[in-house]
Amino acid sequence: MTLGITHTNKSHQAILSDTNLFSSLDIHFANFIARLAQTNSPGVPLAAALVSYKTGEGNICLDLAEYAGKVLPLNSHEDVSEQFVCPAFSDWAEQLMKSGLVGHGQGNTPLVLDLGGRLYLRRYWEYEKSILHFIQERAKTVLPDINYPRLTRDVQKLFKPPSPGKTDWQKIAAIMAVTRSFSVISGGPGTGKTSTVAKILALLLGQYEDKQKLRILLGAPTGKAASRLQEAIISTDLLQKTIELPQATTLHRMLGTIPHSPYFRHNTENHLAADVIVIDEASMVDLPLMAKLMQAVPDLTRLILLGDRHQLASVQPGSVLGDICRSEVMNCFSNTFCQQTLELSVEILPPASKCTIKIPSPGLQDSFVELVENYRFSNESGIARLSKAVKAGDEDGALDLLLAEENNQVSWSEIPASAELERKLQGWSGFSQYVSMQHTREPEDCFAVMDSCRILCGLRSGPYGMQKINTILTHQFASGNLSKTNSLKRERAPSFLAGQPVMVTQNDYTLQLFNGDVGIILPDPNREDALRVYFREESGTLRGIALPLLPAHETVFAMTVHKSQGSEFDRVLLILPDQDSPLLTRELLYTAITRAREKVEIWGRKDVFCRAVKRQITRTSGLAETLWGNNI
């Protein structure tokens, strides 16, 4: 059996097993497809293995052109005559279409090949098409029944008059969100996304005589992000006297999780009961979840997505926010929208904001705004300058900023040898605060410490990964733990310590604890010989549960950068590995740096840091091209 230009007579099963790419799941799926195929073309199981592999890496599909005619790496190199070359593109596509298992979307084939040469698992193709349809229909929809005189009055009341030569992008975003049923507001930390949303809600309330009739839902991918959204909106003081805001919640709770099922109670048949839905930290929302959210949005309901398009993409497949918020179309509007903003706010958009590229659906670009002015940091602050350099892929500029001694917001330290890591951690400025958690019985004090400083790791495993750092710190605190906690009866495992932070890693629907929820283990106030774990609810209240009830979890004195998304801390220590990894990217660095409000300290090696700044995440999907056209 041969594939393309190959010098091996192995079966496709043996060849797939002998590459460096595929997991056992990929190979099982390939064999399953091979058994169902109507032909014996070896390119079919190969494509199945590759699409499974690419999806596992976070991609939505396989671009056949990426592998067509290329040599796959083999594990065994004893015989240099052994080569395994993928078929040429046209031959490969023909093999797939003749298999009976691949179609262009019609029917119910398990795999879908689009006209651009992208091969999908059908459910991901359907998710992508669902999102595309929603955006194309809603983004250009100007909602009826808007009281424009009231809107003009309220815009002028909530926002400052126009300044010559300066565009108030928050005002533009507010006008966009009020007049359209779908809007996306992107911007980095400190650019005022949530304060803009508070003004949007105030503008919408101004449209109602009975303001209680406006049904609002607030959500985010994680409980922490939902709590931050709620706090940020309340802190603006714009809405408290007008309406009682609903409690912000996680997307899963909003949609109504069905235990042990990928489906939700709210869907195309049972829409969410809301007039406006606001979702923060949208960069964390994967493709399947975004599709299910959009399916549950009623026809005349406004959906407002907030996020930072430069942050890490979701852990699960897809990079929805990054795909739909392309730099070519951000703050790039139609003449109609420019005229509307002039009439409503006397805000004249600069000539550069008029779209110069051809948009497939006229007016589509009018639903996307990027906030560019940072109100938290000045343009000269260390964190702002470092994040900007990393975002731009400027490794030399970023490293120069870290090494500049006069900058007290960012700092650099060479990573020590693994044997010296424990000693260096003890000298870290936040170590004493971590120790203080062992001396308190107050959960709020511990949560305050975890909000003020946090260790983030670029990798999960390895000598400088999250697991290793947590092992070191747990050992240090266990060996020096207070005598009163040493004498406590251990209820589940001897590794539990007073003051130990834990993160839930598996949903528990009975306890309403979900993956990503963080708790603190402390002495039980009602039992001197026992420990209890406390969680902060989305409402801000504390809930304690007995240790035996704690779902699957892990210690989080340190956490991965991925898990830190949706959170902010006063000070951040970012620990990078001593060797390069493809997981280290500019998006990961940018996300870690922008978690810090006051200071970020990075431990690593200069060459590893610079490679990470240069490396950019690319996830294969058809979302951007189909939405915006080939000119993106």
Side-chain angles (χ1 to χ4, degrees):
M1 183 176 294
T2 61
L3 281 172
I5 307 167
T6 179
H7 302 291
T8 179
N9 294 317
K10 294 181 180 180
S11 67
H12 79 264
Q13 293 97 330
I15 292 171
L16 295 179
S17 299
D18 202 24
T19 69
N20 293 316
L21 293 178
F22 304 122
S23 67
S24 57
L25 176 63
D26 302 332
I27 295 171
H28 281 304
F29 179 67
N31 291 338
F32 171 72
I33 289 296
R35 290 195 298 271
L36 293 179
Q38 297 174 6
T39 62
N40 194 31
S41 302
V44 176
L46 170 63
L50 282 169
V51 76
S52 175
Y53 159 70
K54 297 295 282 187
T55 304
E57 281 200 322
N59 299 282
I60 299 306
C61 55
L62 163 71
D63 185 353
L64 286 183
E66 182 182 350
Y67 289 92
K70 306 288 178 59
V71 178
L72 284 183
L74 297 178
N75 291 324
S76 55
H77 299 287
E78 293 82 2
D79 185 358
V80 294
S81 65
E82 290 249 335
Q83 288 188 13
F84 184 61
V85 183
C86 298
F89 181 87
S90 57
D91 294 339
W92 206 353
E94 184 179 356
Q95 290 181 30
L96 291 169
M97 296 305 297
K98 288 182 176 179
S99 70
L101 303 177
V102 181
H104 291 310
Q106 302 85 358
N108 198 31
T109 56
L111 297 170
V112 175
L113 181 65
D114 74 5
L115 298 179
R118 290 178 289 260
L119 184 67
Y120 295 78
L121 298 173
R122 171 165 285 278
R123 66 189 178 108
Y124 284 103
W125 180 80
E126 290 176 344
Y127 287 143
E128 187 174 279
K129 290 300 177 187
S130 174
I131 291 172
L132 281 165
H133 177 75
F134 181 94
I135 295 175
Q136 288 167 342
E137 290 298 312
R138 304 291 185 95
K140 59 185 180 182
T141 301
V142 178
L143 290 170
D145 302 326
I146 295 174
N147 187 319
Y148 284 99
R150 283 188 182 183
L151 180 57
T152 302
R153 177 200 67 193
D154 292 342
V155 166
Q156 294 175 359
K157 183 169 62 176
L158 286 175
F159 293 93
K160 295 179 181 179
S163 300
K166 185 177 181 181
T167 302
D168 187 342
W169 293 112
Q170 290 190 10
K171 185 192 298 186
I172 303 304
I175 292 171
M176 172 192 73
V178 171
T179 57
R180 280 154 178 76
S181 63
F182 174 71
S183 54
V184 181
I185 303 172
S186 178
T191 54
K193 295 187 295 294
T194 47
S195 61
T196 302
V197 165
K199 292 178 180 179
I200 291 168
L201 296 179
L203 292 174
L204 289 172
L205 287 165
Q207 297 284 302
Y208 288 77
E209 294 292 346
D210 182 359
K211 303 189 186 309
Q212 301 301 321
K213 287 186 176 180
L214 180 65
R215 299 171 300 170
I216 302 169
L217 288 179
L218 305 175
T222 66
K224 179 67 175 177
S227 297
R228 284 187 55 239
L229 173 63
Q230 181 95 22
E231 293 165 4
I233 292 178
I234 290 174
S235 68
T236 63
D237 292 330
L238 281 175
L239 306 172
Q240 290 192 37
K241 297 179 181 179
T242 308
I243 189 174
E244 183 177 347
L245 279 174
Q247 182 62 47
T249 185
T250 63
L251 267 173
H252 284 79
R253 290 187 179 104
M254 179 187 290
L255 292 172
T257 302
I258 300 174
H260 316 297
S261 166
Y263 304 107
F264 294 98
R265 291 198 305 274
H266 292 288
N267 49 41
T268 53
E269 305 297 325
N270 180 29
H271 285 158
L272 292 161
D275 299 302
V276 56
I277 301 170
V278 179
I279 304 298
D280 198 8
E281 298 292 347
S283 64
M284 299 171 63
V285 183
D286 57 62
L287 185 95
L289 185 56
M290 186 68 80
K292 291 169 185 177
L293 166 66
M294 290 177 170
Q295 289 166 4
V297 177
D299 289 343
L300 296 179
T301 293
R302 292 171 175 84
L303 175 62
I304 303 170
L305 301 182
L306 310 176
D308 185 347
R309 66 188 180 95
H310 298 288
Q311 273 190 199
L312 277 168
S314 57
V315 175
Q316 298 301 317
S319 180
V320 179
L321 193 70
D323 281 341
I324 65 177
C325 293
R326 307 298 292 192
S327 58
E328 297 90 339
V329 298
M330 298 306 291
N331 296 353
C332 161
F333 306 105
S334 68
N335 291 331
T336 301
F337 183 78
C338 291
Q339 181 63 31
Q340 184 180 50
T341 60
L342 176 63
E343 294 171 356
L344 288 171
S345 66
V346 202
E347 188 83 36
I348 301 175
L349 288 169
S353 68
K354 293 188 177 181
C355 204
T356 57
I357 63 172
K358 185 178 180 181
I359 303 295
S361 299
L364 187 67
Q365 74 274 26
D366 295 338
S367 287
F368 297 84
V369 167
E370 184 156 36
L371 306 180
V372 295
E373 184 173 354
N374 197 306
Y375 298 92
R376 182 182 304 163
F377 307 115
S378 71
N379 290 333
E380 297 305 311
S381 74
I383 292 175
R385 292 170 64 197
L386 180 60
S387 62
K388 184 178 180 180
V390 168
K391 185 169 61 176
D394 180 6
E395 69 271 21
D396 293 332
L399 193 58
D400 287 344
L401 285 167
L402 283 170
L403 298 178
E405 294 182 2
E406 70 274 10
N407 198 321
N408 59 5
Q409 278 199 329
V410 298
S411 66
W412 172 267
S413 180
E414 288 290 324
I415 193 76
S418 55
E420 296 296 316
L421 185 56
E422 183 171 346
R423 180 189 59 78
K424 189 170 179 67
L425 283 168
Q426 288 178 328
W428 172 55
S429 59
F431 185 82
S432 60
Q433 290 182 267
Y434 276 15
V435 171
S436 71
M437 293 195 296
Q438 298 182 65
H439 298 259
T440 182
R441 290 177 175 266
E442 297 298 328
E444 280 292 1
D445 293 343
C446 294
F447 280 113
V449 169
M450 300 307 290
D451 287 341
S452 68
C453 59
R454 190 64 66 92
I455 300 173
L456 305 182
C457 297
L459 300 181
R460 180 176 180 82
S461 57
Y464 300 94
M466 179 270 284
Q467 293 173 330
K468 180 64 175 179
I469 302 301
N470 280 316
T471 298
I472 291 173
L473 292 175
T474 301
H475 173 74
Q476 289 178 337
F477 295 145
S479 61
N481 209 13
L482 298 177
S483 58
K484 65 179 180 180
T485 57
N486 281 334
S487 63
L488 290 173
K489 175 184 176 183
R490 304 305 185 197
E491 298 188 43
R492 186 168 167 182
S495 60
F496 285 123
L497 303 169
Q500 177 182 351
V502 293
M503 177 181 285
V504 173
T505 58
Q506 184 175 317
N507 295 341
D508 188 310
Y509 300 98
T510 303
L511 291 173
Q512 288 292 289
L513 289 174
F514 296 90
N515 185 7
D517 289 349
V518 173
I520 302 287
I521 295 174
L522 288 173
D524 190 331
N526 300 316
R527 292 177 58 192
E528 288 297 324
D529 63 343
L531 293 169
R532 198 167 181 82
V533 58
Y534 293 86
F535 291 89
R536 189 188 293 171
E537 305 277 64
E538 291 165 0
S539 62
T541 59
L542 293 170
R543 174 166 61 115
I545 65 170
L547 277 184
L549 298 178
L550 182 61
H553 61 278
E554 59 190 9
T555 300
V556 284
F557 288 112
M559 60 170 51
T560 61
V561 176
H562 274 91
K563 289 289 188 181
S564 75
Q565 289 188 90
S567 299
E568 287 183 356
F569 315 101
D570 293 336
R571 291 173 293 139
V572 164
L573 167 61
L574 172 61
I575 300 178
L576 300 176
D578 62 341
Q579 296 183 6
D580 191 27
S581 164
L583 298 177
L584 301 177
T585 64
R586 72 177 63 163
E587 290 85 359
L588 182 140
L589 295 177
Y590 173 82
T591 301
I593 292 163
T594 54
R595 297 311 90 206
R597 300 186 190 98
E598 299 174 3
K599 181 171 183 177
V600 60
E601 183 178 352
I602 301 178
W603 296 357
R605 281 182 44 180
K606 297 182 183 69
D607 59 328
V608 172
F609 175 81
C610 289
R611 289 193 189 101
V613 174
K614 288 192 290 186
R615 185 180 293 118
Q616 192 168 16
I617 292 175
T618 54
R619 286 191 169 179
T620 307
S621 83
L623 197 52
E625 183 179 323
T626 309
L627 185 64
W628 298 114
N630 295 327
N631 50 12
I632 295 298

